[in-house]
Amino acid sequence: MNSAAATALAESVIGEVVLPGDPAYDDVKDIFVHKGQPDVVVRCHGAEDVRLALAFAREQGLRVSVRSGGHSNAGLSTDVGGLVVDVSPLNGVEVLDAERGLVRIGPGAQWGQVAQALTPHGLSFSSGDTDQVGVGGLLVGGGIGWTVRATGLAIDNLVAAEVVTADGRVLRATADEHADLFWGLRGGGGNFGVVTSFEVAAKPLPKVHFGSIVYPAAEAAPVVKGWARALREAPEELTSHVQLFPSFGGDPAPVNILVCYAGDDIAAASAAIAPLLELGTLESKDINLVAYPDVLDQAGELPPDWEPMVRNRFARECSDELVDTLLTGAAAFDNLFVELRSLGGALGRVPAGATAFGHRDAEVMVNTAKLGPRADNEAALPELTAFWSALAPFTEGAYSGFLSELDTDDLAAVYPPETYERLRAVKDAYDPKNVFSRNANVAPHAQA
C-alpha cells in the first residue's frame, strides 16, 4: 500500500484513516470475538468519506470489508490485510415524522440507542437482540427481533436507503428509485454497496410485556413440543424463544422460554402468554410490562479465547420429530447453546418475492452456538456436522446473520435459487467486479 496515497486519503476525508502503528489502531482492528489486522481502517463520517475510501481501495488493490457494529459472526467486518470501511461514526437517529413513524437511522447506530431514541415518541420496530449490535449489518440481512411476529422483519419496515456503490455513485434506493437495488438491499446483505443512512417506518409501540418462563431440564421434550403447538395458536403480538443453555459438564440447564408481547394491554398479554405457563412443572416466571429498550440484552464479554461456531436453519413445522432429533443430538455436547425462535405472523404475510429474504413460510428458526476456543470447536466439527445432518430432513434455508462459517452449504441455504438468480442480476448492475465480497456473497456473472 502506497503511504503517500494513504496520507492523501487522510487529508481528503472528514473522518479518520487509521494505519498499523497508529495510536488508535488497536481499538479498531478487532471486532466482537474476532481478531483482525487490516492494512487500513477508514472511519467514515459521511457518504463522501465512503466514496473516497472505496476509490482508495480500488486504486491500491485492497479487499474491502464493511463494518457497522462489528458483531459479524463470521468475522467479515474486519480482515487480515485489506481496507475496512467503518461506518460506526454514522450513528445518528432522527425522527423525521412522529405521526407517520418515519425515522432516519445511521448504519453505525446501535439498537439500544435506536430504541431509546424512539421510545419518547411511542415508536419501535423489530431490532437486534442486544443493545450493542449495529443497525447496518442487521438491517440489510433481515432482522429477526423481539417483535418479528407483530411488526415483521426489520427490513419489512425499510422505506429508503442512501447507498454508495462500488463505482462511487451515491444513490437513493426506494420502491420507486433504483427499485432493483432496494429489493436486493432487503435481505441481500452488503452485496451491493455501503448504506450510509436508512429511512424506516416505525410502529406505535409504547411498551411490551417481556420476561422468562422456566421449566425443569428433565421436561425439555414435552415443554418444547407444547411450546410449538401453543405458538401456532398464539396471537401475532406474541413472539417467543426457547433457550437450552449448555451444561459445561454439570447438571443439564433448565428450559428457558422468553416471551415478548407487543402491547401494554395486560389482559390480552396474560391471555396470550397463559398457555406457555401450562407446559409442565413450572419452576418460575418473571414477566413485566417494560419499555422496549429494556428488552435488549446488554452484550456481555465472552472469554478472550472463545470464538463461537454459529449455525442456523429454518423449519416450516416445528414437529415432534424435529424436537426429539434436536434434543437428542444436543445432549451429546456439553457446550452447545440451542435456541428455537418463533416466526410467522407479520413476517409470513409478506410475499416471498417481495424482498430478498426468501424464508417467509418458516414456523421456527433453529440456532446453535458451539461455545469455546476456535481450536476446540474445529476439533468437534465432525460431530457438529453430524448433528446438523440429522436435522436436515426437518429443516431448510438459513439466515445469514447467524452463521459463523459461511461454507458452501450455508451459502446455498441463505438464498433460494430464484432469489439468488434475481440477486445476481442486481449484483451485475451495481457490483459486477464483486468489490463487496465479504458477506453471504452473491457472485456476479462475470465471476461465475
Side-chain angles (χ1 to χ4, degrees):
M1 185 180 69
N2 185 296
S3 59
T7 300
L9 176 65
E11 293 172 349
S12 300
V13 299
I14 298 172
E16 301 83 40
V17 173
V18 185
L19 303 172
D22 288 350
Y25 185 74
D26 286 346
D27 295 329
V28 300
K29 66 184 181 67
D30 301 329
I31 61 172
F32 186 68
V33 309
H34 289 279
K35 304 298 183 184
Q37 201 73 32
D39 289 330
V40 56
V41 177
V42 184
R43 290 178 47 79
C44 299
H45 287 227
E48 179 63 11
D49 280 4
V50 173
R51 194 188 66 77
L52 291 169
L54 293 176
F56 179 83
R58 194 163 55 241
E59 293 161 2
Q60 299 296 315
L62 298 173
R63 186 164 72 167
V64 172
S65 303
V66 182
R67 176 189 303 167
S68 56
H71 280 246
S72 168
N73 277 304
L76 299 177
S77 47
T78 190
D79 203 354
V80 176
L83 180 146
V84 175
V85 177
D86 183 353
V87 295
S88 62
L90 296 173
N91 61 1
V93 182
E94 180 185 4
V95 177
L96 302 176
D97 187 331
E99 289 188 7
R100 294 169 54 206
L102 188 62
V103 184
R104 181 180 292 129
I105 306 172
Q110 297 178 345
W111 283 110
Q113 174 191 352
V114 175
Q116 291 286 356
L118 297 187
T119 294
H121 301 278
L123 297 171
S124 181
F125 69 106
S126 201
S127 64
D129 298 339
T130 67
D131 60 354
Q132 294 179 27
V133 170
V135 165
L138 184 142
L139 195 45
V140 294
I144 304 175
W146 281 113
T147 63
V148 65
R149 284 166 48 84
T151 64
L153 297 167
I155 59 172
D156 297 336
N157 301 278
L158 183 65
V159 296
E162 180 184 79
V163 188
V164 183
T165 60
D167 58 4
R169 289 177 292 166
V170 181
L171 305 178
R172 179 176 171 83
T174 71
D176 300 317
E177 305 172 72
H178 302 287
D180 56 342
L181 176 60
F182 184 61
W183 177 85
L185 288 173
R186 291 174 296 154
N191 268 288
F192 314 110
V194 181
V195 177
T196 50
S197 74
F198 298 94
E199 291 179 20
V200 173
K203 304 292 192 298
L205 186 62
K207 291 190 175 183
V208 299
H209 287 80
F210 182 81
S212 63
I213 302 166
V214 179
Y215 287 101
E219 299 179 17
V223 166
V224 176
K225 293 172 185 178
W227 169 85
R229 288 190 290 271
L231 263 295
R232 289 186 197 117
E233 305 298 326
E236 63 186 38
E237 288 83 3
L238 182 64
T239 296
S240 180
H241 301 177
V242 172
Q243 296 181 329
L244 304 170
F245 287 92
S247 66
F248 293 109
D251 294 332
V255 182
N256 190 45
I257 298 176
L258 295 176
V259 296
C260 182
Y261 181 89
D264 55 7
D265 187 316
I266 295 175
S270 298
I273 295 169
L276 299 181
L277 302 174
E278 301 171 352
L279 303 178
T281 307
L282 184 67
E283 287 193 347
S284 66
K285 73 178 181 73
D286 182 15
I287 302 169
N288 300 288
L289 182 63
V290 298
Y292 184 74
D294 296 337
V295 169
L296 304 182
D297 287 339
Q298 293 185 349
E301 294 291 330
L302 293 176
D305 61 338
W306 276 23
E307 189 178 315
M309 194 169 283
V310 183
R311 204 176 196 202
N312 75 89
R313 289 294 186 266
F314 294 102
R316 292 187 182 182
E317 180 188 2
C318 188
S319 64
D320 289 355
E321 293 80 7
L322 167 60
V323 172
D324 287 336
T325 305
L326 177 68
L327 296 179
T328 299
F333 301 89
D334 64 6
N335 60 350
L336 187 71
F337 171 75
V338 176
E339 178 183 67
L340 295 98
R341 296 190 175 209
S342 62
L343 304 175
L347 178 154
R349 289 201 305 274
V350 177
T355 69
F357 183 96
H359 309 291
R360 299 284 181 172
D361 57 353
E363 186 172 83
V364 299
M365 180 170 64
V366 181
N367 302 323
T368 65
K370 179 75 166 55
L371 304 177
R374 178 76 187 184
D376 292 351
N377 290 338
E378 288 182 344
L381 189 56
E383 291 81 6
L384 193 61
T385 300
F387 167 79
W388 276 104
S389 294
L391 293 175
F394 312 103
T395 61
E396 61 185 29
Y399 177 50
S400 62
F402 293 154
L403 293 171
S404 63
E405 307 312 301
L406 284 174
D407 61 20
T408 302
D409 290 342
D410 286 336
L411 283 172
V414 169
Y415 305 119
E418 289 185 6
T419 301
Y420 185 79
E421 285 307 311
R422 190 172 170 185
L423 285 167
R424 291 188 82 185
V426 182
K427 187 75 169 180
D428 290 344
Y430 294 94
D431 186 21
K433 296 182 179 179
N434 206 15
V435 170
F436 302 110
S437 63
R438 304 268 297 154
N439 43 52
N441 196 231
V442 175
H445 283 92
Q447 294 191 2

